[in-house]
Amino acid sequence: MLAGIRIVEFEALGPAPFVGMLLADLGAEVIVVHRRGGSPAPGAPMRNQLDRGKRSIALDLKAPEDLAVARALIRNAHGLIEGLRPGVMERLGLGPDEARALNPGLVYGRMTGWGQDGPRARQAGHDLTYLALSGALFYAGLPGAVPVVPPTLLGDIGGGALYLALGMLTGLMQAQQGGKGCVVDAAIVDGTSHMMALLRSMGPGFSTAARGASLLDGPHWSRCYACACGGHIAVQCLEPQFYAAFLDRLGLTGDPLFAAQHDPAQWPRQTARLAGLFAQQDRTHWAALFEGSEACVAPVLSPDEAARDPHMMARGHGQPDGPAPAPRFDGAMRRPGPAPARGEHRAEVLKDLRRKGLL
């Protein structure tokens, strides 16, 4: 879908390379500029899964000859991705003003935690701190317990990478229509705050309710339960027909304790009853019991278990090069190329730039 789109990505952590992978999965030509002499984090594989489908060139951006290569890459690109602290690209002479002077139609994508401006713009932070300040962490936990640490997917990918990808694609559409580029400021704190619109749309309870008292984090029908084996089962049967199917599979249809689905005063007793019930059997038993039902119940799988799940396998996930690309178009799934070694494509990238007269 993105064939013909050229992206240059400057090496960074987490959400920025994820955006590059996502665009490469969709067919864009992505060249990642790795740091010359750099190496993966201790214990990390030599080939980064987030680099799949990309080409790699290793550059020392403080060396004039390599800086010239970086500028040539920018002149040849439709879009640029960087995920460094605010001001770093400017100090290298590759900030938005310099880059767009080289290429006025460039879409310059910036991925940060706090954004390019504001009181915290140059302050350190991580996924959890961005979630905390945006309000998205508030409901991550049960009553009486401290908020849990959600997977880094919620902030780095959900509030960060996917918003940058959307911004890049929007900017590319504008550039193709009018030839004018733009700067995309994608901040994790902005994206996670924006995602809170879904919860706020469900009523005032999501802006005023205490944890454990809102629609999705308090009820007995919206939580995880421990099983006899130590595993867990996830339940979220919000709609009445799904709640009825849930009770039916458990043999609780007609039980007066569960008649009032939406009475917060009953939730603690209902939760305690279900907790005792689920604790009597292992996760395999409950997964089999609810298989094929409309009860909205699923086993909580580890990543390795998920890769072996029949549905996930049928959808193409669990392969050595990572999960299948998403989304799909007309039902087809495109498999990207393998992740390159750092600097693997230096010779061919330089040859291509010289052929185009950019070096």
Side-chain angles (χ1 to χ4, degrees), residues 145-311:
V146 299
V148 300
V149 180
T152 189
L153 306 177
L154 178 58
D156 278 359
I157 306 304
L162 296 183
Y163 276 82
L164 178 55
L166 177 61
M168 294 289 295
L169 294 174
T170 304
L172 289 166
M173 289 176 64
Q174 174 187 267
Q176 288 190 340
Q177 292 170 4
K180 183 179 179 181
C182 63
V183 178
V184 183
D185 176 8
I188 297 171
V189 72
D190 292 342
T192 52
S193 178
H194 188 261
M195 290 194 296
M196 289 295 290
L198 173 63
L199 297 186
R200 289 178 176 273
S201 73
M202 295 181 178
F206 273 102
S207 58
T208 61
R211 279 192 301 126
S214 66
L215 181 63
L216 296 181
D217 77 330
H220 56 295
W221 45 261
S222 182
R223 62 178 59 224
C224 295
Y225 291 94
C227 304
C229 60
H232 297 85
I233 202 84
V235 177
Q236 195 167 66
C237 42
L238 167 62
E239 291 81 2
Q241 67 271 29
F242 300 149
Y243 183 65
F246 173 71
L247 296 180
D248 179 65
R249 288 292 173 115
L250 290 176
L252 296 175
T253 301
D255 189 311
L257 177 61
F258 294 97
Q261 179 183 356
H262 295 285
D263 181 2
Q266 301 297 319
W267 289 347
R269 291 179 58 228
Q270 294 163 329
T271 297
R273 173 83 176 277
L274 290 176
L277 183 61
F278 281 113
Q280 295 175 16
Q281 300 286 347
D282 62 25
R283 191 187 68 184
T284 303
H285 168 85
W286 298 117
L289 179 69
F290 287 101
E291 182 66 29
S293 77
E294 293 280 288
C296 302
V297 175
V300 179
L301 303 180
S302 71
D304 286 344
E305 290 173 324
R308 299 190 296 270
D309 176 80
H311 180 80

Side-chain angles (χ1 to χ4, degrees), residues 84-107:
L84 304 174
R85 285 261 197 119
V88 172
M89 290 293 281
E90 283 83 350
R91 289 195 295 273
L92 291 169
L94 298 174
D97 290 343
E98 295 88 348
R100 293 170 69 190
L102 296 169
N103 182 351
L106 185 73
V107 177

Side-chain angles (χ1 to χ4, degrees), residues 15 21 40 71 108 144 295:
M21 182 194 74
R71 288 175 173 148
Y108 196 109

Side-chain angles (χ1 to χ4, degrees), residues 303-304 306-309 312-324 335:
D304 286 344
R308 299 190 296 270
D309 176 80
M312 301 301 284
M313 292 177 66
R315 296 290 293 175
H317 302 290
Q319 300 297 318
D321 62 346
R335 271 290 171 194

